[in-house]
Amino acid sequence: MPIPIQSIALIVLVILVLLLIVSNIVIVQQSKAYVVERLGAFRTVWGVGLHFKLPFIERIAKRVSLKEQVADFAPQPVITKDNVTMQIDTVIYFQITDSKLYTYGVERPMNAIENLTATTLRNIIGDMELDQSLTSRDIINTRMRAILDEATDPWGIKVNRVELKNILPPKEIQNAMEKQMKAERERREAILQAEGQKQSQILVAEGEKQAAILRADAAKQAAILHAEGEADAIMKVQQATADALRLLNESSPNDQVIKLRALETMVKVADGKATKIIIPSEIQGLAGLAASAKALLESDAPAN
């Protein structure tokens, strides 16, 4: 039995309706936002989740990524305060914070950001000299970020960071800078060598000074020890003499013993270089007796 034409048409219609409904079911992914228009006018912004779009009435005007994005712009010619032309390329990290403003705020927003970056960079570098611009990257980055963030706020864009990727001075300036750097290195090397020689000479002089001080201290200590040795020897001799006298006194010597000790002392004195010797009267008799005895012994010697 053939299927009626009306049934086929109904089935086709149902399928078309289902396809239409399915095609208007929209799933917004994470970190995405869809700007929806109804009959050409802004309707709403869809966030993450499942949404249904009215067919033929609503449309998705723009799909916006809410992730932080990176824009690497081509090198831009800039002129410094001292009239040096350089090539500087920048990198911008930005994020879309308002999808509606991003969609309707400015035509071709990336092109607008690039042109704004170039003009801002020229204004900042134009107030700096070459050396200052080469050593002030952090200052330039901070000023550019503040200016760009303020300018792009009506566009729904937040500039998180700006970096100067490369700063390329003219070739002749680079050669001059390399020569200057080489001369500076040579100057520092010469200074270091001079400082090294100076320290070496100071150390040698300090060593000689310490050696002289040590030698003087050694001679001083030797003289002190020698003097102390002589003093100890004299004290020991005096102590021995005192002990001898003490023992002699303890033995109660008579006059003859005392005179004999005095005579022995006179003999020792006579061994010196003195030309005159004064003999006390108490031992003159004993001395004569000793001389007579000596003469008698000498006269008897040949006979033996």
Side-chain angles (χ1 to χ4, degrees), residues 286-304:
L286 186 58
L289 180 60
S292 299
K294 182 179 179 182
L296 181 61
L297 291 175
E298 289 179 355
S299 62
D300 292 340
N304 293 336

Side-chain angles (χ1 to χ4, degrees), residues 258-267 269 276-288:
I258 293 174
K259 292 178 180 180
L260 182 59
R261 293 292 297 173
L263 182 60
E264 292 176 355
T265 301
M266 294 303 298
V267 171
V269 172
K276 293 181 179 180
I277 300 175
I278 300 174
I279 300 175
S281 60
E282 292 81 359
I283 62 173
Q284 286 181 0
L286 186 58

